[in-house]
Amino acid sequence: MNEQYLNQTIRRIVYLESLKQSEINNLSAHLKEIDDLIKSLMLDEEMTDLTVAEFNKVLTAVKTGVATSLSGYTVAVGASLTAIAIDTYQFEVKSLNNAFDDVKLSTKIDDKKQAKIAKLVSNTPLSVTGSEGKTVTDLFNELANNESNKYINHIKLARYEGKTNQQIVQMIRGTRKNGYKDGLMEVTSRQAKTIVRTTVQHAAMQGKAEFANDNADIIKGEQWLSTMDFRTSSQCRSLDLQIFELGKGPRPPLHHNCRSTILIVLKDEYAGRGNINKRASKDGPVANESYYSWLNKQPKEFQDDVLGETRGQLLRSGGLSADKFAALQLDKNFKPLTLAEMRSREPMAFKKAGL
């Protein structure tokens, strides 16, 4: 693993997390639009006093207003996603040129290439668990549609239950005593933030994938790189440092809020400017080892927080190597195995661990 390229990639991961937060910060203006709309609609007559026709007009205004606000947010994020993908392509060019000797890269980013990358970001299906096959466009369209329907359904129920306009506004905004974290708008905020984090990661990987495809003649493969902390998913923990043939392996994001990335592995004839035997973790540089090798050296309490008590005990006492333990976590489609499935594959390890 090349030291300079790895360090640049790790810095890029940190930068990408900052970009996600920047896009999330822009959500507040759109949520304020929803807040202002709801308050304006609830200023006059009580919902319980309206005729059916009048009430339906209110519902239409709510549905249209919420969808419009979230669609406006979608447009803004969409432009950023394309820029992130293009920037990632350019980052790979610069990083590999800096890290390797005599490497000849395809680096052309003209209007045609930018348009292609934009389509890849919007139209390439995600591999995210629970959203398999959906595109970025699908995810944001669902957000606008589902959230607008949620608002009108709650207002319908509130009217049926005889709640006042003030109670309806409180239901949507949340309560002051709970920091406005218990209303519908907080749910909308969480849903939008998750989609933004996931699609930013997707956009970055599309830029990297297009770069890899353009330079396939000098690339040996793609290496999965996971973040080494307690929030890393079982899928990403088990894939950490595995190398796949170009375009044949999984690519992030595999799940919502995924932070993993891919390292480009050049063919052996390209000499790097120094190798590295350390990588970053939550506690600073550690030996260049896989996630489970690193986790096996952490305190028991931390292991159990990450894996759960049963898997933690299996890691410590099952007699499995880090690589074998990693291989035991996922099926051939990179989906997590249950404990029962793991036990059927490695019964002796469970017995040795006293499980």
Side-chain angles (χ1 to χ4, degrees):
M1 191 178 292
N2 180 275
E3 178 177 13
Q4 189 163 343
Y5 179 48
L6 176 61
N7 285 337
Q8 289 171 159
T9 300
I10 290 170
R11 289 196 294 271
R12 179 73 178 185
I13 292 172
V14 175
Y15 167 70
L16 200 59
E17 291 303 306
S18 297
L19 274 178
K20 292 175 186 178
Q21 189 57 50
S22 177
E23 294 301 328
I24 286 170
N25 291 343
N26 296 331
L27 176 62
S28 59
H30 298 272
L31 292 179
K32 187 177 185 305
E33 289 178 356
I34 296 173
D35 187 37
D36 291 342
L37 170 68
I38 298 299
K39 286 188 294 186
S40 69
L41 291 172
M42 301 294 161
L43 283 177
D44 298 321
E45 291 186 76
E46 293 288 337
M47 294 296 104
T48 51
D49 294 336
L50 298 178
T51 65
V52 172
E54 291 170 334
F55 183 63
N56 284 338
K57 286 183 179 179
V58 171
L59 293 180
T60 299
V62 170
K63 182 177 176 64
T64 302
V66 173
T68 299
S69 293
L70 293 177
S71 295
Y73 182 56
T74 297
V75 171
V77 173
S80 296
L81 293 180
T82 297
I84 288 167
I86 292 170
D87 188 65
T88 301
Y89 187 110
Q90 294 169 328
F91 165 82
E92 292 298 321
V93 172
K94 185 176 180 180
S95 292
L96 290 170
N97 271 329
N98 287 340
F100 290 88
D101 295 319
D102 302 321
V103 60
K104 305 298 183 185
L105 299 173
S106 174
T107 62
K108 189 177 182 181
I109 300 282
D110 54 16
D111 290 344
K112 184 176 180 181
K113 175 62 70 176
Q114 291 188 32
K116 181 181 180 182
I117 291 175
K119 288 182 179 179
L120 288 172
V121 170
S122 297
N123 300 330
T124 302
L126 282 76
S127 300
V128 173
T129 302
S131 299
E132 295 93 337
K134 293 180 181 178
T135 65
V136 167
T137 303
D138 293 333
L139 290 179
F140 277 109
N141 284 343
E142 284 183 2
L143 175 70
N145 186 58
N146 292 345
E147 294 304 299
S148 60
N149 284 333
K150 185 186 298 179
Y151 280 68
I152 65 171
N153 288 338
H154 276 75
I155 293 173
K156 282 181 183 178
L157 181 59
R159 181 178 189 257
Y160 174 77
E161 293 175 343
K163 291 185 177 177
T164 66
N165 285 10
Q166 183 179 355
Q167 289 174 315
I168 293 173
V169 171
Q170 189 176 70
M171 171 190 71
I172 292 171
R173 301 184 74 204
T175 60
R176 179 181 295 178
K177 71 174 184 178
N178 290 319
Y180 300 102
K181 298 296 184 182
D182 53 345
L184 286 183
M185 289 180 63
E186 176 62 21
V187 177
T188 300
S189 177
R190 289 199 302 267
Q191 295 281 3
K193 289 174 182 178
T194 294
I195 291 174
V196 169
R197 291 190 187 100
T198 305
T199 55
V200 167
Q201 199 74 13
H202 167 78
M205 290 305 102
Q206 291 308 306
K208 186 167 289 199
E210 181 63 10
F211 166 83
N213 290 337
D214 287 348
N215 293 279
D217 57 318
I218 65 169
I219 293 175
K220 182 178 180 180
E222 298 173 308
Q223 185 172 36
W224 189 280
L225 187 69
S226 300
T227 302
M228 300 178 77
D229 63 22
F230 72 96
R231 291 191 292 143
T232 305
S233 70
S234 61
Q235 290 170 292
C236 293
R237 292 195 300 259
S238 301
L239 289 168
D240 188 39
L241 296 188
Q242 289 193 44
I243 297 176
F244 299 92
E245 185 181 344
L246 182 62
K248 301 294 184 180
R251 282 190 176 127
L254 281 185
H255 56 83
H256 287 299
N257 298 316
C258 185
R259 297 169 296 153
S260 296
T261 190
I262 293 295
L263 291 171
I264 301 296
V265 181
L266 298 185
K267 290 181 178 178
D268 295 340
E269 57 262 35
Y270 294 97
R273 300 189 176 101
N275 292 318
I276 189 169
N277 59 6
K278 293 189 176 182
R279 61 183 290 196
S281 79
K282 68 180 184 67
D283 297 317
V286 297
N288 183 29
E289 56 191 354
S290 70
Y291 187 98
Y292 286 117
S293 178
W294 168 79
L295 184 63
N296 206 20
K297 298 174 184 176
Q298 305 306 305
K300 174 182 180 295
E301 293 75 15
F302 183 82
Q303 293 172 349
D304 289 348
D305 282 344
V306 171
L307 299 175
E309 292 185 6
T310 301
R311 282 183 169 86
Q313 179 67 12
L314 185 65
L315 175 69
R316 290 187 293 273
S317 307
L320 299 171
S321 67
D323 288 345
K324 198 161 188 179
F325 186 87
L328 190 58
Q329 305 305 305
L330 305 179
D331 65 17
K332 64 181 180 180
N333 296 315
F334 310 109
K335 303 300 182 184
L337 293 174
T338 65
L339 283 171
E341 290 169 333
M342 291 170 62
R343 187 186 299 273
S344 69
R345 297 185 182 200
E346 289 288 346
M348 294 306 297
F350 276 78
K351 184 176 180 179
K352 185 173 181 179
L355 298 168

